Amino acid sequence: MEKAKDDYPEEREVPSQRDRRPWWEDEEDDQSVADEAAYLASNSSGRVYLGARGGNSWKSSPYFDSLMDAELLLSFRDAHAEAGVFGGFKSVTAKEGSSIEESVDGGVIFLRAGIEGRYYPFPDLEFFSPYLLGQAGGIYMYWSFKNPLKAGADTITSDSVGGMMLGVGIGVNVIDTDFLRIGAACIPETHLFHSETQEGFQNDVFDYYGTVRWALEAGLSL
């Protein structure tokens, strides 16, 4: 503007390239960025699932035979990876003819909770989508004695022991969409027990308990 005045004493030369593009070109770029962001948001695979899983075990040893198990799951999935939490119970019975069967009244209950991770090698499949999974969590095993025990003035009718569980497995979602998934899994698991029971007894009976578990699962996207 200064060089365009009538009384400007020097040459009116200006740079051959403008410092920046016209405002309307910037506006086009802004719109392009906005369009790309909207596209990525609308095509994001990230979603939260609430599901239920239940089943039994093909193999269960050495102390118990499995009767049934059930869990609730809450997880977040984004493309190949999924991470979540689970909680539920497992019902077992002492193996027939074992010393545990002679001591325990009825069934034994496990309460379980932990974290679970999954890997989907083909995340775009909406039918028969396979995955690998891993689990880690805590357990609480409860039982009632067939005959009450005397400890001084106290009568002990039941006891419990805590521990941890680890599992790895494979599964397949027969239906795997943004809104619904239905599938099945096979999960080998091991349960490790603490060295002392809730009543203060030394745990010299239960070491580890393993199962090869099958489960059916259904979930909805929140």
Side-chain angles (χ1 to χ4, degrees), residues 55-57 60 64-69 90-93 209 211:
N56 207 336
S57 297
S60 182
F64 308 111
D65 289 322
S66 179
L67 298 178
M68 66 164 295
D69 54 66
K90 187 177 189 72
S91 177
V92 302
T93 184
Y209 168 56
T211 68

Side-chain angles (χ1 to χ4, degrees), residues 137-141 161-165 191-194:
I139 61 172
Y140 177 84
M141 184 176 75
V161 64
M164 66 177 294
M165 61 159 292
H191 305 74
L192 306 174
F193 300 97
H194 289 162

Side-chain angles (χ1 to χ4, degrees), residues 13-191:
E13 190 170 336
V14 296
S16 60
Q17 298 291 329
R18 291 172 293 177
D19 293 337
R20 64 187 306 275
R21 292 175 296 174
W23 62 268
W24 58 84
E25 292 185 11
D26 289 343
E27 186 178 72
E28 290 177 358
D29 285 350
D30 291 342
Q31 185 61 43
S32 177
V33 171
D35 290 345
E36 183 176 357
Y39 173 81
L40 292 175
S42 64
N43 288 273
S44 173
S45 59
R47 51 191 183 270
V48 176
Y49 280 104
L50 176 62
R53 177 170 60 201
N56 207 336
S57 297
W58 282 302
K59 184 172 178 59
S60 182
S61 67
Y63 315 109
F64 308 111
D65 289 322
S66 179
L67 298 178
M68 66 164 295
D69 54 66
E71 292 169 338
L72 293 177
L73 304 96
L74 180 65
S75 61
F76 174 79
R77 177 176 171 185
D78 189 4
H80 291 277
E82 180 172 340
V85 295
F86 67 88
F89 74 93
K90 187 177 189 72
S91 177
V92 302
T93 184
K95 284 191 174 292
E96 187 175 352
S98 68
S99 61
I100 296 176
E101 184 189 33
E102 297 174 356
S103 303
V104 172
D105 184 23
V108 176
I109 295 294
F110 284 76
L111 299 180
R112 316 191 308 174
I115 59 175
E116 179 171 315
R118 299 185 183 186
Y119 175 75
Y120 290 84
F122 311 109
D124 295 330
L125 291 179
E126 292 191 347
F127 299 97
F128 295 97
S129 176
Y131 60 86
L132 304 175
L133 70 84
Q135 299 174 327
I139 61 172
Y140 177 84
M141 184 176 75
Y142 173 88
W143 68 90
S144 295
F145 292 112
K146 185 165 288 187
N147 296 288
L149 308 175
K150 292 291 185 180
D154 297 330
T155 299
I156 301 174
T157 61
S158 62
D159 204 353
S160 60
V161 64
M164 66 177 294
M165 61 159 292
L166 300 170
V168 294
I170 58 174
V172 60
N173 288 333
V174 180
I175 298 174
D176 192 355
T177 69
D178 289 344
F179 308 103
L180 172 70
R181 69 181 184 192
I182 299 174
C186 177
I187 313 171
E189 300 172 328
T190 186
H191 305 74

